[in-house]
Amino acid sequence: MKYYVVVFFILCFLACRSNRNIDRTIQEGSKTETSKSIDRKDSSTVDTEYQESRTKVSNEVRFIRTAAYRPDGTIRSIQEEWRDSGSTELVDGRGRSSENTVTEIKSDSAAVTESKKDLKEKMQSSSDNRPVQGVEWFYIALGFSALVLVALAVSLIVKYRSKIFSFFRKLVFRI
């Protein structure tokens, strides 16, 4: 029986092994250029037109009245004289004004976008056909140890059965 256990462990250790290595390199680059120009021209003109006319009117009024008397004292005639003069000035002004504003805007924009992405992947793989790998050895060793302990306990119980039963009888009847 002990030879089968040794053969089992030798077969587990002699089986193939697997490794897998992946090496990735990613390079990303982005370049953006933007240019914008605004050209603005403002021009304004003001046109003004003004007309003025002046009118001057002069008036002169003359009134003469003469009174002449007779020797008996009665009024023979009456003479009056007066003079009225005046002037009127009329100023008529007319104006017009206009403003013209011109705005010229020129806008130029340019954008250049360049993007670069390189992906390099190196994969190396090898396979492992071993039935037990890594941490699984711990569980196998734990199970094997438990099995050995159970087998040892059973063999000890079989060998010393009569002494164990008598001990338990004394223990039980004492209580």
Side-chain angles (χ1 to χ4, degrees), residues 164-175:
I164 293 173
F165 285 132
S166 67
F167 172 75
F168 279 121
R169 272 188 228 152
K170 289 177 187 176
L171 184 68
V172 170
F173 289 122
R174 201 186 284 178
I175 297 177

Side-chain angles (χ1 to χ4, degrees), residues 14-42:
L14 290 179
C16 296
R17 192 171 171 214
S18 170
N19 284 332
R20 184 173 185 187
N21 294 329
I22 297 174
D23 186 19
R24 281 191 181 168
T25 304
I26 297 174
Q27 293 178 345
E28 289 188 35
S30 180
K31 179 181 173 184
T32 303
E33 292 180 17
T34 304
S35 65
K36 188 174 187 180
S37 67
I38 297 174
D39 195 15
R40 180 180 178 144
K41 293 180 184 178
D42 292 330

Side-chain angles (χ1 to χ4, degrees), residues 41-53:
K41 293 180 184 178
D42 292 330
S43 63
S44 63
T45 58
V46 177
D47 292 335
T48 304
E49 184 179 306
Y50 185 73
Q51 290 180 345
E52 184 178 281
S53 63

